[in-house]
Amino acid sequence: ARGASTALSPAGRAAVLLGVGLLLAWSSGISWGYKSPAFFAAPLWLAAMLVHARLGGRAATLAWVALACGLVMFRAGYQYPYVFPQRPLSREELVHDAGTVFPRLSGVKVDTVLLGTLRDLRDLRARYGANYKTLPGFPLAYLLTGDRPALPAEWLQDGEISGRVDEVYDLLVARDVVVFMERDQMDTVAPDGYERTRYSVPARVRREWRAVDETEHFVVFRRP
């Protein structure tokens, strides 16, 4: 009797399962995943397992198959093409402790080039204050300097800002944000080669703003 009183109703079970499916789908949405079937993949697999079990099949077997397929797709479709190319250095080159520049990075080993980039960022922050933005990449630099972001968007790729190029650019101008442009990406148009990854805002800054300072790794731009 006690079990019957505490058991969920069919509608309650359906709501719980739907919530779990949506939570899994949301967790699977990596980098614009909400625009792809990734948003629906987990709920569909969950529904397939429930139907399979109701028809007398072994849901556990289907679950393991789904997990194996998911791991293979993640490895081949995301981790290999998008993660490993961003790790071009050998372990022997990572000899410097980034915590010597930014204490929040204590214990993180970097190479000589990245150490110099971090030093330039630290020095430029001290020179120009907290109202700055690193472009076109270097997102989350504010976490290192402990400042509040100057813009509501962190990575100014067209896809990340939903194509609102003019609006974001106008914010840069209106707030008189100082731009620290990465020298090694000055001419980068779209880092992944896709239209959605275009750097339209940084490109406009390079064309229309004036360069006022530079370091080994950054060129500093101010609004015209």
Side-chain angles (χ1 to χ4, degrees):
R2 178 179 300 177
S5 62
T6 58
L8 285 174
S9 65
R13 287 197 299 271
V16 171
L17 291 175
L18 177 62
V20 171
L22 290 175
L23 179 61
L24 290 174
W26 183 264
S27 300
S28 72
I30 49 177
S31 189
W32 298 309
Y34 57 88
K35 293 184 178 180
S36 74
F39 186 80
F40 305 99
L44 286 175
W45 269 111
L46 184 60
M49 285 187 286
L50 290 175
V51 172
H52 187 67
R54 289 292 181 90
L55 294 177
R58 299 181 60 184
T61 301
L62 185 60
W64 282 111
V65 171
L67 178 61
C69 292
L71 290 175
V72 170
M73 288 186 290
F74 176 81
R75 177 72 173 85
Y78 176 76
Q79 190 178 37
Y80 178 77
Y82 289 105
V83 177
F84 285 100
Q86 306 303 321
R87 306 287 188 271
L89 302 175
S90 64
R91 189 178 297 273
E92 288 73 21
E93 295 178 87
L94 306 178
V95 296
H96 303 286
D97 187 351
T100 59
V101 182
F102 290 109
R104 295 186 178 190
L105 294 179
S106 294
V108 177
K109 297 296 184 180
V110 299
D111 69 323
T112 303
V113 174
L114 184 51
L115 186 70
T117 303
L118 294 174
R119 284 174 176 164
D120 283 357
L121 174 63
R122 178 196 61 192
D123 296 343
L124 290 174
R125 162 62 179 84
R127 191 179 310 166
Y128 290 98
N131 188 33
Y132 73 90
K133 180 74 187 79
T134 50
L135 291 177
F138 213 137
L140 304 179
Y142 304 107
L143 294 180
L144 305 180
T145 59
D147 299 314
R148 296 186 62 181
L151 295 176
E154 183 57 43
W155 195 10
L156 302 190
Q157 285 189 356
D158 290 5
E160 294 285 348
I161 60 176
S162 300
R164 297 157 72 175
V165 175
D166 291 338
E167 180 179 341
V168 174
Y169 177 81
D170 290 343
L171 277 177
L172 280 173
V173 175
R175 298 179 181 182
D176 193 19
V177 178
V178 182
V179 168
F180 302 158
M181 189 79 68
E182 294 177 280
R183 187 183 292 276
D184 63 347
Q185 297 190 54
M186 285 280 289
D187 298 323
T188 302
V189 177
D192 294 335
Y194 297 105
E195 188 69 20
R196 66 184 185 184
T197 67
R198 289 182 65 87
Y199 284 142
S200 295
V201 173
R204 190 169 175 183
V205 169
R206 289 196 303 272
R207 291 194 309 267
E208 301 180 13
W209 290 28
R210 53 192 175 89
V212 297
D213 198 357
E214 61 182 274
T215 66
E216 182 180 357
H217 301 284
F218 291 97
V219 178
V220 180
F221 287 87
R222 300 295 301 263
R223 70 181 184 182

